[in-house]
Amino acid sequence: MIRAEIIAIGSELLTPFRTDTNSLYLTRSLEENGIKVVAKTVIGDEIDHLVAAFANAFERADVIICSGGLGPTIDDLTRDALCEFLNIPMHLDPEILHQIEERFKFFGRKMPETNRKQAMVPEGATSLPNHHGSAPGIYLEARGKQIFLLPGPPNELDPMWQQYALPLLRKERPYQRKIFRIAMLPESQVDEMLKPVTDSLREVQYTILAAPTEIEVHLLAPESSADELISACAEVRSILGNWIYAEDLESLEAAVGKLLKQLRRKVAIAESCTGGLLAERITNVSGSSNYFEYGLVPYANEAKIKLLNVPAELMDAHGAVSEPVARAMAEGIRKIANADYGLSITGIAGPDGGSAEKPVGTVFIGLADAEQTVVKEYHFLGTRQRIRFSSTQAALNLLRMKLLA
Amino acid sequence: MIRAEIIAIGSELLTPFRTDTNSLYLTRSLEENGIKVVAKTVIGDEIDHLVAAFANAFERADVIICSGGLGPTIDDLTRDALCEFLNIPMHLDPEILHQIEERFKFFGRKMPETNRKQAMVPEGATSLPNHHGSAPGIYLEARGKQIFLLPGPPNELDPMWQQYALPLLRKERPYQRKIFRIAMLPESQVDEMLKPVTDSLREVQYTILAAPTEIEVHLLAPESSADELISACAEVRSILGNWIYAEDLESLEAAVGKLLKQLRRKVAIAESCTGGLLAERITNVSGSSNYFEYGLVPYANEAKIKLLNVPAELMDAHGAVSEPVARAMAEGIRKIANADYGLSITGIAGPDGGSAEKPVGTVFIGLADAEQTVVKEYHFLGTRQRIRFSSTQAALNLLRMKLLA
C-alpha cells in the first residue's frame, strides 16, 4: 500500500475563520489512484514546525503533498524547510524567473524583487507550471519518497495537480468505492437493515456516515475483491430499494430533477418556514428550468392568502402551521402554476414561534397532484438551519417517492 | 505565549467526504483566552500514528486537545495511545461505569460489554462528564502540559468544552481581534485603501481574508497594545465608512435585517436566476418576518408575466435578462406586496444559457421604492453557485446602501 500525507501550510488555517479544504480534493484523487491518506497536518509559517512536519511525514508516508507557503513573502518558507530537512541547496532557475517576469508584464506590472524567490528550485527538483498564479509548484524525489509542493489557492492547486503532478504520481491498483445515499432514515435503522450484508463482508470495508436526515453507506474494496463488492452492492440495493436516492455523490435535488425530467413532469413550490431553501436547492441543478417554473415564499400569513388563495378562515381556524393550510398551499400553487405537482412547506423553524401544542420543529409538507393531496407532519430537532434543511429533505423525498410510485 | 495543538482522530476525516471542523470552534475559544494554535493534525485510528502525534504535540505545544477516538470499539485508541506515550496505566472507574450503565438504562437498553472501555481512566486523570453521549472526556496534566481528550461529535464536544474543559484551561491575557466585513469591493482595492493604516502598525497584526464578493479585515493585538488597536480601528472605519457592513462576524443578511428593523421598512423579493437563495438568506435571520413577507421565484418567463405583471412585450423586446425586466420585476413585487422596497434579480447563472451579447454571469438587479427604481448591471465570474451567491451579495448590498443613504 502506498501511503500519503497532506501538509497544509498557512497561519490563516490556524484561525477560527478558515479550514483546509484542499485535502478533500487531493484525497479523492489519491484514492482513485489506490493511495491511502494516513495523516493531514496543518501548520503555520514557522520554519521549525515545517521541518518537523517533513520529518514526521517522511516517517509515515511514501507520498508527501504540501499546499501553501510558495509565495514571495518572507513568511513563505515551504521550499526552505524542505531543503533544510533534506540538507540540499537551492538554485535560481532563469527559465522560471523569466516566466514569472512575463506573467507580471502581461498584467502590466513590473515584477517585485521579492518574487525572485519563487524561481528558486531545490537541487534535483522539477518545477510544475502554474497557469493561474505566480507560484510554480515543485516536485522532488528523495529518500524513496515523492514530494509535491503545491500553491495554496484551490484554483491554482487543482489544475496544477491534475495536469502536472498526477502524471508523476506512482499509482497502485486502485481501490473501488461505492456510495449509496439515503434520505430520511435514521442511521441506526440503516445500520440494522444492512447487518445481514455487512456481517458477512470479508475484504470489502463498510462505513456509514450520518448527517441529519442524510445517510451515506460506503463500501470500499481492493481491486482483487471486485466480485465481493459487486455482490455486496446488489444486496444493499435489494434491502434498501427506493430508499437509495443516489449511488455516488449525486444530490437529492439532482436525483429528483432527473426523475422529473425523465417523466416530463413539472413541480411548483410554495414554502414558508424554509424561506426559499427548497426552491434554491431545486434550481441549483443546471437544467432545472425544464421542470421548475414557479416558486413562492409566502412568508407572511397575508401573502399565503393573497398569493395562494389560502382561505383566511382556514388560517384563523387552524393556524398557518397546520395540515389544512399545507394542503391549501400545495393545491393553490399547483393551480396557479398549472404544474403536475404542487409542493408546500409550512412549519416553525425557531428559535421563536413554538408553543406547547406546536413546538419548534413542527412542519407540515403537502404534495398535490391531479388525483389527490397528501400532507405529512414532521417533528425535527436542532437549530433553525437544521430544521429548515430537514424540511427540504423531507419535501424532496416525498416528491421522489411519489415519482417512483 | 501559551501554544496549543489540536489533534483530530478518526479515519473518516482522512476520506474525501469529511473534514475536521471541531478545530474552528476550539480555536475561537482558545484565542479568546490568549492561547495560540500552532498546529492541527488529523490522523486515523492507528496506535503508532497516535503515539507519534502525541510525541510531536508534546514537543511544540503547552495545551493538547484531541477530538475523537473515545468510543467503545476496538478502533477507539486515543486513551491507549496517550497512556502508551506517557507510560502510565489505566484503571476502571466504577462511578463512570455506573453513569454509562444508567445512560443505557434511560434509553431502555442494556450496556454492551464493549462500553466498559469508556470507563477506563488514565492514572492521574480527571473525567469530564458527557451529557450528550456515552463517551466521557479526559483531562490530564503531564510533563507540564495540559491534555484534553474530547469526543468527536460537535454536539458532544462543544458543551463539554464549555462546561468542563474551559474552566480547567490555563489562560493568558487575551489577544483582542477586531473584524471588519466588507461586501462587493475587490481585495486589492481594500488592501490599497488601508495602506496608510496598515503600513504604520507596530504591535497590531493585520490580515485580509478574501472570498468572492466578501472581504474580512482582521486586526489582532495583545492586551498591551489596546490603544494602538483602538486608533487603528478608528482609521479603518473612517477610510472604509459605509463599505463596512459589520464588525465581528455578523452576516450581510443580518446587517440588512437590522437596518430594516430599525427603520421599520419592509422588503419584498422577486428573484429568478438565484432561485430562492436571496429569500433563503434573508429568512435565515431569526425575526425576519418583521421585514420580509413576500418572496417570488418566477423562474420561467411565463411566471414573470403571470405573477409579476411584467409585460410580455418587454420580455420579447429585451429578453428576460435585461434592465427593463429587472425594473418591472422590482416594481411589480413592490406593488403586489405593498412593501417599501421591491428587490429583483434576473441573470444568467450558467453553465448554459449565455450568449456573446449576454455571457454567463450577466446579472441585473433592480431596487424600487416609492420615488424611483434603480437597476444595476453586474458581470460575475465562476461557477453557477458562485454567480448565484455573488448576485445575492450585490442585491443585499444595494439595499443596504439605500437604507444608509
Side-chain angles (χ1 to χ4, degrees):
Chain A
M1 188 177 62
I2 302 182
R3 299 161 80 105
E5 171 151 358
I6 299 173
I7 304 174
I9 297 154
S11 299
E12 77 280 8
L13 300 172
L14 295 171
T15 71
F17 311 103
R18 292 290 183 274
T19 191
D20 160 52
T21 55
N22 283 326
S23 62
L24 300 179
Y25 174 84
L26 292 169
T27 304
R28 181 82 170 158
S29 179
L30 288 165
E31 182 180 279
E32 283 164 1
N33 290 288
I35 297 174
K36 188 180 161 68
V37 175
V38 293
K40 304 199 287 186
T41 307
V42 181
I43 37 172
D45 309 300
E46 295 185 49
I47 189 95
D48 294 353
H49 292 181
L50 285 161
V51 171
F54 280 119
N56 290 327
F58 270 76
E59 280 290 318
R60 60 192 168 198
D62 310 296
V63 176
I64 297 152
I65 306 173
C66 296
S67 64
L70 297 181
T73 77
I74 199 162
D75 279 351
D76 292 301
L77 296 167
T78 306
R79 271 183 216 83
D80 308 69
L82 180 63
C83 291
E84 183 174 325
F85 171 68
L86 291 172
N87 198 19
I88 55 173
M90 275 193 280
H91 65 270
L92 186 98
D93 184 318
E95 176 54 28
I96 297 174
L97 184 63
H98 179 69
Q99 285 163 14
I100 299 174
E101 283 170 340
E102 286 300 306
R103 192 181 157 80
F104 274 91
K105 226 179 259 172
F106 178 80
F107 287 109
R109 295 166 55 197
K110 201 182 166 303
M111 188 192 85
E113 263 309 292
T114 50
N115 283 75
R116 285 178 74 85
K117 187 173 167 178
Q118 296 187 302
M120 297 298 286
V121 176
E123 193 173 81
T126 310
S127 166
L128 309 173
N130 185 346
H131 302 305
H132 303 87
S134 66
I138 284 166
Y139 170 67
L140 183 65
E141 292 185 20
R143 304 187 192 171
K145 317 282 185 182
Q146 295 192 295
I147 305 116
F148 297 90
L149 309 185
L150 306 173
N155 71 318
E156 299 178 25
L157 180 142
D158 297 3
M160 184 186 292
W161 174 257
Q162 214 58 41
Q163 197 176 345
Y164 299 107
L166 204 48
L168 297 167
L169 188 70
R170 267 196 302 271
K171 284 140 191 128
E172 283 264 291
R173 296 165 81 191
Y175 273 72
Q176 218 191 323
R177 186 183 288 269
K178 278 298 299 181
I179 300 173
F180 298 92
R181 304 189 95 182
I182 298 113
M184 305 306 294
L185 278 185
E187 180 185 14
S188 55
Q189 192 177 334
V190 174
D191 201 38
E192 192 66 36
M193 287 167 83
L194 293 179
K195 238 180 164 340
V197 193
T198 54
D199 275 354
S200 63
L201 291 175
R202 288 183 317 274
E203 294 300 316
V204 172
Q205 189 188 316
Y206 158 77
T207 317
I208 185 163
L209 296 175
T213 69
E214 180 86 35
I215 301 287
E216 281 175 24
V217 170
H218 290 232
L219 298 176
L220 190 69
E223 209 180 29
S224 55
S225 306
D227 290 347
E228 192 193 333
L229 181 65
I230 288 168
S231 80
C233 287
E235 285 184 76
V236 167
R237 281 186 206 102
S238 95
I239 291 170
L240 291 173
N242 276 352
W243 283 107
I244 298 167
Y245 70 76
E247 302 195 6
D248 206 349
L249 288 174
E250 186 180 65
S251 68
L252 181 56
E253 52 270 33
V256 169
K258 210 187 262 176
L259 285 170
L260 285 165
K261 218 165 166 179
Q262 268 168 19
L263 301 167
R264 294 169 188 258
R265 299 287 160 78
K266 291 185 179 182
V267 64
I269 288 168
E271 54 181 320
S272 184
C273 68
T274 46
L277 181 59
L278 180 56
E280 195 274 322
R281 289 185 66 184
I282 288 182
T283 59
N284 220 349
V285 180
S286 182
S288 48
S289 56
N290 286 303
Y291 47 80
F292 176 80
E293 298 180 340
Y294 284 73
L296 298 186
V297 187
Y299 212 55
N301 287 353
E302 196 202 277
K304 293 181 184 73
I305 297 166
K306 208 160 136 187
L307 295 174
L308 285 163
N309 305 317
V310 175
E313 310 82 65
L314 212 61
M315 307 268 289
D316 291 343
H318 304 278
V321 177
S322 64
E323 197 274 355
V325 170
R327 179 178 299 272
M329 286 170 67
E331 291 171 358
I333 185 63
R334 182 176 170 275
K335 206 165 149 191
I336 290 164
N338 195 22
D340 301 293
Y341 298 100
L343 192 54
S344 71
I345 304 179
T346 177
I348 302 157
D352 308 316
S355 66
E357 202 198 340
K358 289 176 189 170
V360 167
T362 304
V363 177
F364 292 88
I365 296 180
L367 176 59
D369 67 7
E371 274 100 50
Q372 60 166 342
T373 305
V374 180
V375 179
K376 295 219 172 193
E377 180 175 351
Y378 298 85
H379 293 273
F380 298 116
L381 295 175
T383 60
R384 182 178 177 87
Q385 274 89 335
R386 185 163 155 178
I387 290 168
R388 283 158 63 109
F389 179 76
S390 299
S391 303
T392 61
Q393 288 281 99
L396 288 168
N397 207 49
L398 191 65
L399 176 57
R400 195 178 67 84
M401 288 303 196
K402 182 81 185 178
L403 292 166
L404 288 172
Chain B
M1 188 178 62
I2 302 182
R3 299 160 81 105
E5 171 152 357
I6 299 172
I7 305 175
I9 297 154
S11 299
E12 76 281 8
L13 300 172
L14 295 171
T15 71
F17 311 103
R18 292 290 183 273
T19 191
D20 160 51
T21 54
N22 283 325
S23 63
L24 299 178
Y25 174 83
L26 291 169
T27 304
R28 181 82 171 160
S29 179
L30 289 165
E31 183 181 278
E32 283 165 1
N33 289 288
I35 298 174
K36 188 179 160 69
V37 176
V38 294
K40 303 199 289 188
T41 307
V42 181
I43 37 172
D45 309 301
E46 295 185 48
I47 190 93
D48 294 353
H49 292 182
L50 284 160
V51 171
F54 281 119
N56 291 327
F58 270 77
E59 280 290 317
R60 60 192 167 198
D62 311 296
V63 176
I64 298 152
I65 306 173
C66 295
S67 64
L70 297 181
T73 77
I74 199 162
D75 279 352
D76 292 301
L77 296 167
T78 306
R79 271 182 214 83
D80 308 71
L82 181 63
C83 290
E84 182 173 326
F85 171 68
L86 291 172
N87 197 17
I88 54 174
M90 275 194 280
H91 65 271
L92 186 99
D93 185 316
E95 176 54 29
I96 298 174
L97 184 63
H98 179 70
Q99 285 162 13
I100 299 174
E101 284 170 338
E102 287 300 307
R103 192 180 157 79
F104 274 92
K105 227 178 261 171
F106 179 80
F107 287 109
R109 294 167 56 196
K110 200 180 166 302
M111 187 192 85
E113 262 310 292
T114 50
N115 282 75
R116 285 178 73 85
K117 187 171 169 180
Q118 296 187 304
M120 297 297 287
V121 177
E123 194 173 81
T126 309
S127 165
L128 308 173
N130 184 347
H131 301 305
H132 303 86
S134 65
I138 283 166
Y139 171 67
L140 183 65
E141 291 185 21
R143 303 188 191 170
K145 316 284 184 181
Q146 294 193 295
I147 305 117
F148 297 89
L149 310 186
L150 305 174
N155 71 317
E156 300 179 25
L157 181 142
D158 297 3
M160 185 187 291
W161 174 257
Q162 213 59 41
Q163 197 176 346
Y164 299 107
L166 204 49
L168 297 167
L169 188 71
R170 268 197 301 272
K171 285 144 190 121
E172 282 264 290
R173 295 166 81 191
Y175 273 71
Q176 221 191 323
R177 186 183 289 268
K178 280 296 300 181
I179 300 172
F180 298 93
R181 304 188 96 181
I182 298 112
M184 305 306 294
L185 278 184
E187 180 184 14
S188 55
Q189 191 177 334
V190 174
D191 201 38
E192 193 65 36
M193 286 168 82
L194 292 179
K195 238 179 164 340
V197 194
T198 54
D199 276 355
S200 63
L201 292 175
R202 288 183 316 274
E203 296 298 317
V204 173
Q205 188 189 316
Y206 158 78
T207 318
I208 185 162
L209 297 175
T213 69
E214 180 86 37
I215 301 287
E216 281 174 24
V217 171
H218 291 233
L219 298 176
L220 190 70
E223 208 181 31
S224 56
S225 305
D227 290 348
E228 192 192 334
L229 181 64
I230 289 168
S231 80
C233 286
E235 285 184 76
V236 168
R237 282 187 206 102
S238 95
I239 291 170
L240 292 173
N242 277 352
W243 283 106
I244 298 167
Y245 71 76
E247 303 196 5
D248 205 348
L249 289 174
E250 186 179 63
S251 67
L252 182 55
E253 51 270 34
V256 169
K258 208 188 261 175
L259 285 171
L260 285 165
K261 217 164 166 179
Q262 269 168 18
L263 300 168
R264 295 169 188 259
R265 300 285 160 81
K266 291 185 179 182
V267 65
I269 289 168
E271 53 181 321
S272 184
C273 67
T274 47
L277 181 59
L278 180 57
E280 195 274 323
R281 290 185 64 184
I282 288 182
T283 59
N284 220 349
V285 180
S286 182
S288 48
S289 57
N290 286 303
Y291 47 82
F292 175 80
E293 298 179 340
Y294 285 72
L296 298 186
V297 186
Y299 212 55
N301 287 354
E302 196 202 279
K304 294 180 184 74
I305 297 166
K306 209 160 136 186
L307 295 174
L308 286 162
N309 307 316
V310 175
E313 311 81 65
L314 212 61
M315 306 269 289
D316 291 343
H318 304 279
V321 177
S322 64
E323 199 272 355
V325 170
R327 179 179 298 273
M329 285 171 66
E331 291 170 0
I333 186 63
R334 181 176 171 272
K335 206 165 150 191
I336 290 164
N338 195 22
D340 302 293
Y341 299 100
L343 192 54
S344 71
I345 304 179
T346 179
I348 302 157
D352 308 315
S355 65
E357 202 198 339
K358 289 176 190 169
V360 167
T362 304
V363 177
F364 292 88
I365 295 179
L367 176 58
D369 67 7
E371 273 100 50
Q372 59 166 343
T373 304
V374 180
V375 179
K376 297 220 170 192
E377 180 176 351
Y378 298 86
H379 293 273
F380 297 117
L381 295 176
T383 60
R384 182 176 177 89
Q385 273 88 335
R386 186 164 155 179
I387 290 168
R388 282 158 63 110
F389 179 76
S390 298
S391 302
T392 62
Q393 288 281 100
L396 287 168
N397 208 49
L398 191 65
L399 176 57
R400 195 179 67 84
M401 289 301 197
K402 182 81 184 176
L403 292 166
L404 288 172

